[in-house]
Amino acid sequence: MHTSAHEDLLQVQRLNAGYGKIQILHDVDMAMRPGEIVALLGPNGAGKSTLMRAISGLLPWMSGDVRFDGKSLHRASPRDAAKLGLVHVIEGHHVFTQLSVQDNLALAGYDIARAERQQRIQDALAFFPEIAQKRHDRAGALSGGQQQMLVVAQGLVKRPRLLILDEPSAGLSPVLVDRVFEVAARLRDEGTSVLLVEQLVEKSLALADRVYAMAHGEIVLQADTNESNLQGRLEEAYFGQHA
């Protein structure tokens, strides 16, 4: 089960956020510890992407707090969060199609010293041999799935301690979905935490250590993924009392 707060890498505490006067998130609590994969599941419109944007600094909060490695991220920009090690790979993010794969990755590490940046690019490409072979090609010449891999690789250049993947399987073939999930597992093995927002419920539960489920902007379930009858509990959480 979940550990105590002082062992957490990420703590979301009674977080309320939304767009303008429209509140989407309602008193959301969540925590992650180092080196684990947590799946965040829920139907469309549940508030998952809003929560990710609020955590990573893309969306201001109405109230509550997000703490990363003990430090509050209140008023922190996405750049501030990334410098601390919290990196958000956003659904639908596009690459610079006229630039090479290599240059796209270099841009992701623009604020890192050149020698260090080159090493990080090498390390990121090692996760994706499909695009490593095309590092000097224009990103626009990659397939849609390969461009999605490049987006994830851009996040890896920042050497995250926590990587937020928002629907990384969107638009990918089953083979490439498996590749992205393999990368997530390797990152966990190397000590990186991964917060995975996905529609592929069975695959996500097979990969993750723990799961949170959202509905109507609230956390309606949290559990270890090895708990019995988890699928049934998820369906109840989605469609039961919160229907």
Side-chain angles (χ1 to χ4, degrees), residues 105 108 120 124-125 128 131 148-158:
L105 294 173
R120 291 191 185 194
L125 286 172
F128 296 109
I131 61 172
Q148 179 72 1
M149 288 182 173
L150 178 54
V151 170
V152 177
Q154 287 175 319
L156 297 183
V157 167
K158 298 183 174 73

Side-chain angles (χ1 to χ4, degrees), residues 43-106:
N44 288 332
K48 305 185 299 296
S49 291
T50 301
L51 176 57
M52 300 305 95
R53 292 171 67 85
I55 289 173
S56 65
L58 286 165
L59 183 69
W61 319 327
M62 295 173 174
S63 62
D65 198 13
V66 177
R67 304 186 72 81
F68 185 73
D69 198 19
K71 303 178 185 68
S72 175
L73 297 182
H74 183 56
R75 298 191 185 282
S77 69
R79 183 181 298 178
D80 296 332
K83 285 183 176 179
L84 292 172
L86 191 160
V87 175
H88 183 184
V89 177
I90 303 164
E91 180 192 8
H93 176 69
H94 298 294
V95 299
F96 293 97
T97 56
Q98 298 302 314
L99 298 181
S100 69
V101 168
Q102 173 89 15
D103 287 345
N104 268 274
L105 294 173

Side-chain angles (χ1 to χ4, degrees), residues 2 13 18 23 36 47 56-57 70 78 82 98 110 112 140 161 187 191 210 227:
H2 184 65
Q13 303 167 330
Q23 185 171 346
E36 72 169 349
S56 65
Q98 298 302 314
Y110 75 95
I112 302 165
R161 299 171 64 195
L187 288 170
R210 293 189 301 117
E227 292 186 20

Side-chain angles (χ1 to χ4, degrees), residues 30 38-42 47-52 88-89 91 163-170 181 194-200 204 214:
M30 171 186 281
V38 169
L40 179 63
L41 306 177
K48 305 185 299 296
S49 291
T50 301
L51 176 57
M52 300 305 95
H88 183 184
V89 177
E91 180 192 8
L163 183 66
I164 299 175
L165 294 175
D166 191 354
E167 307 254 356
S169 71
F181 276 54
V194 179
L195 180 54
L196 180 68
V197 183
E198 258 300 341
Q199 296 292 340
L200 299 176
S204 299
M214 288 191 77

